[in-house]
Amino acid sequence: MVNENLMIMNNFQGMAKRLTTLLKQQGIANDAVLSTIEQTPRHKFMPESLVHKAYENTALPIGNGQTISQPLMVATMTQLLLQHDCHKVLEIGTGSGYQTAILAQLIDKVYSVERISHLQYQAKRRLKQLDLHNVMTRHGDGWEGWSSKSPFDGIIVTAAAKEVPQRLLEQLADGGVMIIPVGTEQQTLYVIRRFGDDYEQQRIGDVRFVPLVQGALL
Ligand code: SAH
């Protein structure tokens, strides 16, 4: 196991290349997204015991009952976001910080909110280690968004909400776009666009995320 981990750490780009080849086959066409995934050390965003699975196309546990999202989902959501002109983005559900790291390499300014303080702290450290300084993270409740930094050109929610949070709709810039999984048992990924006071919703497909929890911060 230790030797295998060392091999992955030393050769992560080779393994990440294999992963991006797979993502391409699965329909990810945005070259910037693919090359960013290829250059990002996903193994640094998880417990050491799981590093040997870091470049598999699967979600993995990161503690506190949470998961690092599946690479295909990260790529899909990022690609959807980049179809629009996004310079300032809010992410809800920092988790490991992996999706945040991908966004930070593609978008000028990224804000990210996480409900579990331990995860937020770890993610912040990882992002700093990777010299990603255009990110601000915060321990808080994603249902509230981050109003003092709003409006956002894009909002990406990486946990499933039982309904679209009103505060997030309000913090979206005119012309802005939100990528959000909605539902409990049955979840659907939506792209929501704001046009003044009107919101237009496009259904992308069925997905599976941990819930966007309502209530006390941990
Ligand atoms: N993008 C992350 C996904 C983590 S899973 C990654 O790839 O690692 C979703 C995250 O949303 C979890 O860390 C969970 O704690 C967080 N979350 C759930 N409810 C939340 C809320 N109300 N506010 C902020 N974060 C929340």
Side-chain angles (χ1 to χ4, degrees):
M1 170 73 86
V2 172
N3 283 341
E4 196 184 353
N5 280 0
L6 268 178
M7 204 188 79
I8 288 164
M9 289 172 197
N10 291 331
N11 181 35
F12 88 84
Q13 272 163 320
M15 308 203 48
K17 184 153 185 58
R18 249 185 285 164
L19 175 62
T20 51
T21 303
L22 179 80
L23 297 178
K24 220 171 173 170
Q25 285 163 3
Q26 308 247 339
I28 303 300
N30 184 313
D31 286 333
V33 172
L34 291 167
S35 68
T36 304
I37 290 180
E38 200 172 307
Q39 284 156 32
T40 303
R42 189 170 184 254
H43 64 270
K44 292 194 176 168
F45 292 85
M46 60 188 58
E48 212 170 317
S49 59
L50 291 172
V51 160
H52 62 291
K53 292 191 174 176
Y55 297 93
E56 291 178 14
N57 186 25
T58 51
L60 295 166
I62 53 169
N64 295 83
Q66 305 305 320
T67 54
I68 177 172
S69 302
Q70 184 197 23
L72 180 61
M73 197 42 64
V74 171
T76 301
M77 291 174 85
T78 309
Q79 180 169 271
L80 286 168
L81 198 66
L82 293 183
Q83 281 170 7
H84 306 271
D85 199 20
C86 281
H87 300 282
K88 184 178 162 193
V89 164
L90 173 67
E91 178 193 31
I92 302 299
T94 318
S96 68
Y98 176 69
Q99 168 82 74
T100 327
I102 300 292
L103 292 173
Q105 294 170 81
L106 293 162
I107 287 159
D108 297 339
K109 190 84 193 144
V110 179
Y111 297 87
S112 186
V113 179
E114 169 57 52
R115 166 180 178 269
I116 301 175
S117 63
H118 174 65
L119 293 180
Q120 187 254 337
Y121 174 76
Q122 276 188 327
K124 188 177 174 173
R125 268 189 36 197
R126 289 170 180 146
L127 294 161
K128 205 169 160 192
Q129 270 170 11
L130 292 175
D131 279 333
L132 297 171
H133 300 296
N134 56 336
V135 181
M136 272 183 84
T137 63
R138 179 182 153 186
H139 176 226
D141 180 6
W143 284 89
E144 296 298 321
W146 196 333
S147 63
S148 63
K149 303 293 182 192
S150 69
F152 301 98
D153 307 319
I155 299 181
I156 179 166
V157 183
T158 69
K162 66 176 172 39
E163 63 199 16
V164 181
Q166 184 58 34
R167 300 292 305 258
L168 297 186
L169 291 172
E170 290 164 5
Q171 289 171 32
L172 202 56
D174 195 2
V177 63
M178 185 182 333
I179 319 289
I180 181 168
V182 182
T184 47
E185 295 301 299
Q186 175 80 18
Q187 301 173 4
T188 306
L189 188 65
Y190 286 99
V191 173
I192 299 173
R193 292 205 65 196
R194 178 173 191 172
F195 300 98
D197 290 335
D198 293 332
Y199 294 87
E200 207 172 77
Q201 174 169 307
Q202 181 196 356
R203 189 180 184 284
I204 303 298
D206 292 345
V207 288
R208 178 125 292 275
F209 281 86
V210 296
L212 187 70
V213 176
Q214 257 175 321
L217 297 177
L218 294 177

